[in-house]
Amino acid sequence: MHAPIKTAISLALCGALQLVTAHAGAADNAAPAAAPAAAAVLPGDDFFSYANAEWLSSTKIPDDRSSWGGMSQLADETNQRIIKLVEAAAGSSDAEAKKVGDFYRAFMNETAIEARGLSPLTPALDKIRALRDKKELTRALGESIRADVDPLNATNFQTENLFGLWVSQGLNDPKHNVPYLLQGGLGMPDRAYYLDDNERMHRLRTAYQAHIAAMLKLAGFSDPETRAARVFDLERKLAMSHATREDSADMAKSNHTWSLQDFAKKAPGMDWNLFFASAGLKGQKQFMLWHPTAMTGAAKQLQDCSLDAWKDFLAFHTINHNANNLPQAFVDQYFDFYGRTLSGTPQLSVRWKRGLAAVNSAMPDAVGKLYVAQYFPPQAKAKLDGMVANIVKAFHQRIDKLAWMAPATRKEAHAKLDVLYVGVGYPDKWTSYAQLDVKADDAYGNAERAEKLYTAQQLAKLRQPVDRKEWCMPPQLVNAVNLPMQNALNFPAAILQPPFFDLNGTDAANYGAIGAVIGHEISHSFDDTGSQFDSNGRLRDWWTKDDAAHFKTATQALVAQYSAYQAFPDLALNGQLTLSENLSDLAGLAAAYDAFKAANPNAADRDFFLGYARSWRNLVRDASLRRQVMTDGHAPSKWRTYTVRNLDAWYKAFDVRQGQQLYLAPQDRVRVW
Ligand SMILES: [Zn+2]
């Protein structure tokens, strides 16, 4: 549904911390390491196992999970809390809270949904059946556009609609909001699924075509197989004009400005004036094209493919997109393809979890408000705001000490830090749902109206000043994100609780855990992605050639350090693949340490490092670990904790000596920032 909720954030931290034992006041730096619990392992040999000994020996991965750690545990607990708030909200005297409750109730009322059957779909399908020509088709395609993608903050590129829409500040014009258009129209994740020549993809294509037929059949269409073949063929042709996933993530390939006139020239075959007017973009003169070839391809298919094929395409995607608000037969068919076949998920999750996801997606800020009122006290926000200020200050000081950075680059880095917006807990301005009509017995209509309202609110931004403080994550999500163009960070309230942050915990543990997370996200503003956006959020490489070269040389030692870690006897970590994240871990930990010491000059260091290592406690199955090592930009949790070996203070705090596994001679400890 909405981009803000679907987020699988690439910059996000995927780690965990759970403080089982309180180590408040763990004091004497000089004393030999007193291991928590009866750990036999020395901190200098394996800091992860040392710090997490108790948790590791008492925890098992649940049967339905491929891994388990503090973050998954926290997400589970948070959902249990939120669902109680949502259930209670139906009886609230507050109009917005009541809408939250009613939205959820409508979704949970399976009897009502079964009784309504196909009727919620009927008006939309009738409208599609009545389309008489390509002109009417163009209007219908325009009307189906929703603000449902976010290529930069949420790296969400996928939409079943012909195009995806995102409204944000301009890559080259940060003072104004502009509409970004993305490729769309595919029911499978991307072009590779339609075009790659291998057995798995062949199998998925067959399954997908069968899924299209099954959905059309459930909705009462004649000749579902013939129609499914037509829809699939149309999507395959669209896919041929699509960019790959890698190219989608490449900013330099995604930065195209088209005027309205450009569309007729560069993407002939479509009445673009009519299309944009129907999409709510009438009068818009400039567009940002993330995927220009897809515009050309779609316009050509609009001309070449039959009206009937397009009508089937629209009908199928209307059904498919709304399947989860229709009777159980639709839900099951949808899960059979998207869950079981495409993702290998054995079982549909329980209804209340899906209901929670639905209301979180439709009214994220309304649910967030309820959550914050109950679980995020003002003292927590004040404390964290103070920590953020100290960590930002630590970064300023570190930048001043960087010998390799040119003065002009250093100046811009300071400027970037000066304007950095760090959102803690919840947004300054909440989204309003006053215009949203929620009915306690209309799951389908509620979801549809919520999407339309969200799109209208996004389109309205085109006539409003840029708001760098707009959030892209709801407060109730256990996650964190760096928004490179806005030069902003979001730390939702839900991640700001134990085990990551404890209002009653020690400063040492808090700086080691959430402090390092904050530092990690800040440092992304100055890495290979961050160096492409200046302090205004303009797409512009602000590093000199020399800076980039020095940076590259300095980082090679870290590449080597991680490539030397063996996850399995036959599989080592990929230091190059994980470099950006490892650098952020190192910079974040170092800055958090500086901030901790500045705020608490006399405090001992042990809790700081233990807090950090515990934030990464995690168990993972072998198959999953192998996949992570091969494909994930983040190093697996255990090796992330080994970042500590690059900080001198860690050696003193745990009496780490030459000959121990993690020991590095002082000149081999990596210092980039
Ligand atoms: Zn990161």
Side-chain angles (χ1 to χ4, degrees):
M1 301 256 252
H2 301 163
I5 304 301
K6 238 176 140 174
T7 51
I9 301 300
S10 63
L11 301 180
L13 283 247
C14 35
L17 166 69
Q18 198 194 26
L19 292 160
V20 171
T21 322
H23 281 265
D28 192 356
N29 266 354
V41 63
L42 286 173
D45 282 331
D46 178 358
F47 194 58
F48 175 80
S49 301
Y50 170 81
N52 295 310
E54 212 172 271
W55 186 87
L56 289 168
S57 65
S58 62
T59 307
K60 263 185 64 187
I61 305 174
D63 287 344
D64 59 343
R65 305 281 184 133
S66 60
S67 68
W68 187 249
M71 200 164 190
S72 23
Q73 211 166 342
L74 183 56
D76 256 25
E77 287 163 11
T78 303
N79 280 343
Q80 298 282 355
R81 287 171 161 188
I82 299 171
I83 196 63
K84 290 203 177 71
L85 297 174
V86 168
E87 279 170 352
S92 174
S93 55
D94 177 77
E96 188 176 280
K98 188 167 179 346
K99 285 181 187 181
V100 168
D102 285 347
F103 190 103
Y104 177 73
R105 273 217 306 211
F107 185 90
M108 294 305 285
N109 192 343
E110 292 177 81
T111 318
I113 292 172
E114 291 298 326
R116 291 188 134 202
L118 285 174
S119 64
L121 265 179
T122 309
L125 295 183
D126 282 350
K127 233 175 131 180
I128 294 166
R129 279 193 192 96
L131 298 175
R132 282 169 309 183
D133 52 35
K134 294 276 172 86
K135 190 174 169 205
E136 290 183 1
L137 171 68
T138 303
R139 186 180 296 127
L141 287 167
E143 284 169 359
S144 71
I145 298 304
R146 297 285 178 273
D148 55 0
V149 290
D150 174 348
L152 195 58
N153 302 326
T155 50
N156 172 16
F157 300 100
Q158 220 268 333
T159 175
E160 286 184 72
N161 297 326
L162 188 58
F163 304 121
L165 170 68
W166 184 52
V167 180
S168 192
Q169 68 191 70
L171 273 174
N172 319 304
D173 179 15
K175 293 252 181 307
H176 297 99
N177 285 318
V178 293
Y180 290 78
L181 293 177
L182 276 70
Q183 62 196 17
L186 308 185
M188 288 200 285
D190 72 9
R191 81 194 297 277
Y193 287 76
Y194 293 81
L195 304 172
D196 280 9
D197 187 18
N198 62 56
E199 197 260 321
R200 176 176 149 76
M201 292 308 185
H202 280 292
R203 197 165 47 77
L204 285 175
R205 293 202 269 275
T206 308
Y208 178 54
Q209 196 167 317
H211 167 69
I212 300 172
M215 281 302 215
L216 289 169
K217 194 170 172 207
L218 282 172
F221 280 80
S222 63
D223 269 333
E225 278 82 18
T226 313
R227 292 176 195 270
R230 267 201 307 236
V231 173
F232 181 82
D233 187 55
L234 174 49
E235 288 189 24
R236 192 181 55 81
K237 286 173 176 153
L238 291 173
M240 288 164 76
S241 67
H242 278 201
T244 61
R245 180 65 176 73
E246 291 73 24
D247 283 352
S248 288
D250 186 341
M251 225 75 68
K253 291 182 178 166
S254 313
N255 182 12
H256 308 268
T257 307
W258 282 18
S259 69
L260 186 59
Q261 291 76 29
D262 285 333
F263 283 87
K265 271 181 278 165
K266 297 177 178 175
M270 183 141 156
D271 182 345
W272 289 100
N273 278 313
L274 176 61
F275 177 83
F276 286 130
S278 322
L281 286 159
K282 194 181 168 72
Q284 184 66 36
K285 298 203 169 51
Q286 299 251 303
F287 297 81
M288 289 300 290
L289 278 289
W290 205 270
H291 298 122
T293 57
M295 302 295 129
T296 312
K300 180 167 164 36
Q301 294 315 320
L302 189 83
Q303 201 166 45
D304 292 356
C305 289
S306 71
L307 179 65
D308 284 342
W310 277 104
K311 285 164 74 167
D312 289 337
F313 167 92
L314 269 177
F316 163 67
H317 286 296
T318 302
I319 304 161
N320 201 47
H321 179 67
N322 295 295
N324 287 313
N325 292 298
L326 289 167
Q328 193 61 35
F330 289 89
V331 177
D332 289 340
Q333 176 56 43
Y334 187 89
F335 178 76
D336 189 59
F337 180 71
Y338 288 99
R340 211 167 277 131
T341 305
L342 202 59
S343 318
T345 313
Q347 221 175 347
L348 180 65
S349 67
V350 292
R351 191 157 187 103
W352 74 260
K353 285 189 182 167
R354 286 179 284 133
L356 181 58
V359 70
N360 263 331
S361 170
M363 306 178 66
D365 278 21
V367 179
K369 238 191 237 178
L370 297 174
Y371 177 80
V372 164
Q374 195 75 25
Y375 294 108
F376 194 62
Q379 302 91 305
K381 184 163 167 62
K383 172 116 192 161
L384 281 151
D385 281 337
M387 286 177 68
V388 166
N390 290 338
I391 295 168
V392 167
K393 199 169 158 199
F395 265 100
H396 273 301
Q397 286 164 350
R398 285 193 164 254
I399 288 166
D400 275 334
K401 284 190 223 149
L402 287 180
W404 54 268
M405 209 179 234
T409 316
R410 209 179 294 183
K411 201 172 156 212
E412 184 63 22
H414 281 303
K416 241 191 128 163
L417 266 180
D418 284 336
V419 295
L420 179 73
Y421 163 71
V422 182
V424 170
Y426 50 89
D428 300 0
K429 258 186 274 170
W430 295 97
T431 299
S432 166
Y433 302 97
Q435 305 299 315
L436 182 61
D437 184 16
V438 176
K439 296 177 181 156
D441 62 351
D442 184 13
Y444 186 104
N446 291 340
E448 190 177 44
R449 287 186 289 273
E451 284 184 1
K452 280 190 179 159
L453 175 64
Y454 180 75
T455 299
Q457 287 169 336
Q458 292 300 305
L459 286 170
K461 279 162 55 182
L462 293 170
R463 295 175 297 280
Q464 294 160 1
V466 168
D467 178 11
R468 285 198 312 110
K469 297 182 177 178
E470 184 187 357
W471 279 47
C472 89
M473 262 184 189
Q476 65 275 27
L477 193 72
V478 180
N479 214 330
V481 64
N482 182 317
L483 317 176
M485 196 159 60
Q486 286 170 236
N487 201 3
L489 309 177
N490 296 168
F491 294 99
I495 201 174
L496 304 174
Q497 55 179 330
F500 290 97
F501 169 74
D502 186 352
L503 188 54
N504 304 310
T506 64
D507 263 16
N510 281 332
Y511 273 100
I514 196 69
V517 173
I518 294 167
H520 174 110
E521 293 298 342
I522 291 176
S523 86
H524 275 310
S525 302
F526 305 99
D527 65 10
D528 42 358
T529 304
S531 65
Q532 297 181 59
F533 291 93
D534 69 13
S535 56
N536 295 311
R538 194 187 300 272
L539 187 64
R540 170 176 82 85
D541 193 342
W542 49 276
W543 285 22
T544 66
K545 271 213 175 69
D546 277 356
D547 291 329
H550 276 291
F551 187 72
K552 194 149 187 232
T553 315
T555 57
Q556 284 316 300
L558 203 62
V559 173
Q561 191 177 103
Y562 277 78
S563 292
Y565 294 136
Q566 293 287 140
F568 296 94
D570 63 333
L571 184 65
L573 268 55
N574 182 339
Q576 195 60 51
L577 175 70
T578 55
L579 176 60
S580 287
E581 294 300 332
N582 297 335
L583 273 168
S584 282
D585 281 350
L586 179 54
L589 185 68
Y593 178 78
D594 291 354
F596 158 58
K597 294 312 277 187
N600 306 269
N602 300 316
D605 292 348
R606 290 172 55 91
D607 261 9
F608 174 85
F609 290 108
L610 286 171
Y612 177 69
R614 286 182 182 143
S615 76
W616 296 111
R617 62 183 44 180
N618 192 53
L619 284 165
V620 56
R621 296 186 198 281
D622 282 358
S624 179
L625 180 58
R626 277 184 183 274
R627 196 179 57 216
Q628 192 184 350
V629 169
M630 288 187 289
T631 61
D632 199 326
H634 303 81
S637 303
K638 177 173 157 178
W639 291 278
R640 294 183 78 165
T641 68
Y642 295 168
T643 306
V644 296
R645 67 199 292 219
N646 296 301
L647 271 69
D648 298 338
W650 175 73
Y651 289 81
K652 284 201 203 87
F654 293 92
D655 191 30
V656 176
R657 297 170 182 213
Q658 195 160 9
Q660 296 176 344
Q661 296 281 325
L662 296 175
Y663 178 86
L664 288 171
Q667 70 274 15
D668 295 331
R669 296 171 197 167
V670 179
R671 296 170 178 88
V672 177
W673 286 104

